[in-house]
Amino acid sequence: MQKDFLELIRRASCELPADVIRVIKQGRNAEANGSPSRSALDDVIENCDLASRTSRPICQDTGTNIWYVYHPRSVSQMALTRDILAATRKATRLAYLRPNAVDSITGKNSGDNTGPGAPVIHFHEWSRKSLVADLLLKGGGSENVSAQYSLPNGAIGAGRDLEGIRRCVVDAVFNAQGKGCGPGIIGVGVGGDRATSMIEAKEQLFRLVNDKNPDPVLAKLEKTLHAQCNELGIGPMGFGGLTTVMGVKIGARHRLPASFFVSIAYLCWAARRASVSIVGGVATYSQISQQALKYKLPAVAARKGR
Amino acid sequence: MIRIELPVSEKDVRKLKVGDEISLHGTIVTARDAAHKLMVEEWPKFVEPLLKNGAIYHCGPVMKKTGKSWKAVAAGPTTSIREEPYEAAVMDHYKVRFIIGKGGMGPKTLKACKDVGAVYLHAIGGAAPLLADTVVRTKAVHLLDELGVPEAFWEFEVDGFKGIVTMDSHGKSLHSALLRKSKKKRDAIIGI
Ligand code: SF4
């Protein structure tokens, strides 16, 4: 499977998903003629075109590589890990990935994107015969502006309710300003413990940017927050403008009675994700991950299917 | 679009204003976290001629080696604010005229822009192949073994590297202006 995983990394790194490009183009058309934000989005669009034509990384920060692998019972996780690591090393040699894994104590770069905790791999066994791997490359600039709130929070008057969640998201996007390479996609994880809260937030980033949350309460909050974050006027790259975020995606997990975390995972415009399904040795690639399929897909994507 | 040849004089840089679109031609040198830390701790001599009236680029590129030469595959800017503790001293010591990166920088750097005669040029974050293609030649690399590919000092000869001045030598910063404006909005939306 090593060669399929290598191709998955190449696609993730070099081809921005169509749903994201579509929203960036809408944002570009909305910005004023001759404004820095419009010219920034023009460059983004041209850049993505160039990257996909020449099989080069969309952005030089090829990010944390986050894998979700769904596998049948018969497949060994040790074997899968070996294949993912081998594909990762090869992808680094081919410059689909930048050497991006640094020993936190010595400061030494491992040179091949592997090492303790790198890449990040989540396994799920399922009853199907196919194997599916979803991959997200999440850039460091956007990771640095991600945030976690423990409610109640006095500074922004956020209590343990929907209103509190709303305040956290607006505050986090404000704090990010242009530093996360906006327009961003905002993944929100409510509940869990500190670790799983952020995992939930990141899983939200696998969703299609213009899908709909089947939970009507969360769907409404997502819509409100999308509009309110854009009202901040931070705009693409923090140049000012109408498109500060492309979407807000919210998921919730059970929590302890004692805790209430709201985690905000900021994803830059370079929202690089890709998916592969392997059945009987044949790989089929897609831009729609397993996580995305749990949500109501927009009409265009639903027609194409997996 | 204003065309700038590097190295550039203090006088020419002082003419630039927030909002100006710039295209750079000449040598720019990458330096990010480890490089900045090293500069302020050791003040290495080898960077003096590279940075005098020149440009620092906050960038950790993806590079490809073919034979003896290196090619920039992807070379967009990285977040600049991490260099805020170091940058003012670096600018003053080496007389740097352009700081290139993304996300803008803070009050210390803004003051240094004024004192030294320099600007902050905001490149398009993430536009890596687009910016890499303006690198016509990798002239040299310094401390590659010690710092690794993303952190090394790469000397790039660029032709038409694009960016927007977001901090100038007159004390203006687009970033602080937007911060103030969006803070008012935030307070209204949150209701505090
Ligand atoms: S935040 Fe995203 S687009 Fe910006 S430099 Fe990092 S990976 Fe690239």
Side-chain angles (χ1 to χ4, degrees):
Chain A
M1 261 163 289
Q2 190 192 316
K3 115 178 166 315
D4 305 322
F5 290 158
L6 178 64
E7 172 61 10
L8 183 68
I9 297 172
R10 188 195 68 77
R11 285 180 185 241
S13 182
C14 310
E15 295 170 9
L16 202 64
D19 60 298
V20 181
I21 300 240
R22 210 173 300 127
V23 177
I24 291 176
K25 285 187 175 159
Q26 284 163 6
R28 180 254 173 218
N29 292 338
E31 299 294 348
N33 243 330
S35 62
S37 29
R38 186 166 179 148
S39 98
L41 291 179
D42 273 334
D43 284 352
V44 162
I45 293 161
E46 192 187 335
N47 180 73
C48 292
D49 190 50
L50 187 63
S52 104
R53 273 191 287 117
T54 56
S55 270
R56 276 188 287 166
I58 292 164
C59 180
Q60 79 287 340
D61 179 2
T62 50
T64 306
N65 292 200
I66 307 174
W67 292 76
Y68 280 82
V69 184
Y70 304 81
H71 63 89
R73 208 166 158 178
S74 56
V75 178
S76 145
Q77 291 187 357
M78 282 195 295
L80 284 170
T81 305
R82 262 199 307 275
D83 282 356
I84 290 175
L85 291 181
T88 302
R89 291 190 182 107
K90 181 125 197 234
T92 312
R93 281 200 300 279
L94 293 172
Y96 301 152
L97 298 176
R98 176 180 73 181
N100 229 12
V102 178
D103 185 314
S104 297
I105 306 303
T106 64
K108 183 110 184 114
N109 193 314
S110 75
D112 64 3
N113 277 301
T114 69
V120 177
I121 311 172
H122 302 269
F123 287 113
H124 293 284
E125 181 183 311
W126 65 6
S127 52
R128 295 185 214 165
K129 288 207 174 61
S130 59
L131 181 136
V132 169
D134 296 337
L135 175 61
L136 174 74
L137 308 186
K138 186 172 187 310
S142 71
E143 186 68 5
N144 290 348
V145 298
S146 296
Q148 188 170 65
Y149 295 78
S150 173
L151 301 190
N153 177 307
I156 53 169
R160 295 180 158 191
D161 50 20
L162 287 175
E163 172 59 14
I165 299 166
R166 186 187 71 87
R167 290 180 178 217
C168 292
V169 175
V170 173
D171 188 55
V173 172
F174 162 75
N175 287 330
Q177 291 289 307
K179 293 192 283 285
C181 287
I185 300 172
I186 312 301
V188 183
V190 180
D193 65 9
R194 282 198 187 266
T196 58
S197 182
M198 190 51 94
I199 287 178
E200 177 62 40
K202 290 193 177 169
E203 286 183 358
Q204 291 295 316
L205 301 175
F206 282 88
R207 287 171 57 185
L208 295 193
V209 64
N210 45 1
D211 72 351
K212 202 170 162 193
N213 201 316
D215 179 326
V217 175
L218 294 182
K220 189 165 164 231
L221 187 57
E222 288 177 0
K223 208 170 152 206
T224 308
L225 277 168
H226 185 182
Q228 292 184 339
C229 290
N230 283 340
E231 274 174 42
L232 289 171
I234 295 163
M237 303 294 143
F239 289 168
L242 303 172
T243 316
T244 299
V245 305
M246 293 190 260
V248 178
K249 308 288 167 196
I250 308 172
R253 293 191 180 191
H254 281 32
R255 59 181 173 85
L256 296 182
S259 311
F260 197 120
F261 298 111
V262 178
S263 301
I264 288 115
Y266 193 110
L267 182 62
C268 51
W269 66 258
R272 291 153 291 177
R273 46 178 156 72
S275 183
V276 63
S277 165
I278 304 170
V279 194
V282 181
T284 317
Y285 297 91
S286 159
Q287 296 179 338
I288 305 174
S289 66
Q290 280 306 307
Q291 187 64 20
L293 288 170
K294 295 186 201 152
Y295 294 82
K296 285 189 202 156
L297 298 183
V300 200
R303 269 203 309 277
K304 281 197 193 150
R306 261 196 81 87
Chain B
M1 186 84 70
I2 301 171
R3 187 189 162 98
I4 298 277
E5 312 272 347
L6 292 163
V8 64
S9 71
E10 179 182 345
K11 187 165 143 261
D12 283 347
V13 170
R14 287 202 182 269
K15 287 182 199 151
L16 302 175
K17 299 182 307 298
V18 163
D20 285 346
E21 287 197 46
I22 306 286
S23 106
L24 288 179
H25 305 260
T27 303
I28 65 177
V29 182
T30 69
R32 44 182 290 165
D33 312 64
H36 276 81
K37 188 161 177 286
L38 184 115
M39 281 193 280
V40 299
E41 280 171 4
E42 297 175 19
W43 299 114
K45 280 255 182 294
F46 76 89
V47 279
E48 271 170 19
L50 307 179
L51 296 186
K52 180 141 203 245
N53 294 322
I56 286 181
Y57 183 23
H58 299 153
C59 168
V62 177
M63 302 296 296
K64 206 171 181 177
K65 195 172 190 179
T66 25
K68 275 205 180 124
S69 67
W70 286 94
K71 195 167 166 35
V73 176
T78 188
T79 305
S80 298
I81 195 71
R82 292 196 306 270
E83 318 314 339
E84 179 69 8
Y86 315 113
E87 205 69 270
V90 168
M91 290 161 78
D92 182 49
H93 186 90
Y94 294 111
K95 301 295 174 238
V96 189
R97 302 287 166 220
F98 275 86
I99 302 295
I100 314 166
K102 72 172 172 90
M105 299 188 72
K108 265 176 78 182
T109 305
L110 185 61
K111 185 169 179 298
C113 284
K114 202 172 176 175
D115 296 345
V116 177
V119 296
Y120 178 84
L121 189 71
H122 199 301
I124 304 306
L130 195 70
L131 293 171
D133 283 2
T134 69
V135 178
V136 289
R137 192 160 67 94
T138 305
K139 292 169 74 178
V141 56
H142 306 271
L143 303 182
L144 178 60
D145 291 341
E146 293 83 348
L147 303 178
V149 170
E151 300 277 350
F153 292 85
W154 293 92
E155 251 181 85
F156 287 152
E157 185 180 326
V158 297
D159 187 20
F161 183 103
K162 273 201 300 181
I164 293 171
V165 174
T166 57
M167 294 161 64
D168 62 22
S169 63
H170 314 290
K172 279 235 160 54
S173 160
L174 175 67
H175 309 286
S176 53
L178 256 165
L179 184 69
R180 276 195 303 278
K181 241 168 98 181
S182 58
K183 183 165 188 315
K184 278 206 194 102
K185 288 271 184 199
R186 181 204 71 153
D187 292 350
I189 295 167
I190 290 185
I192 46 176

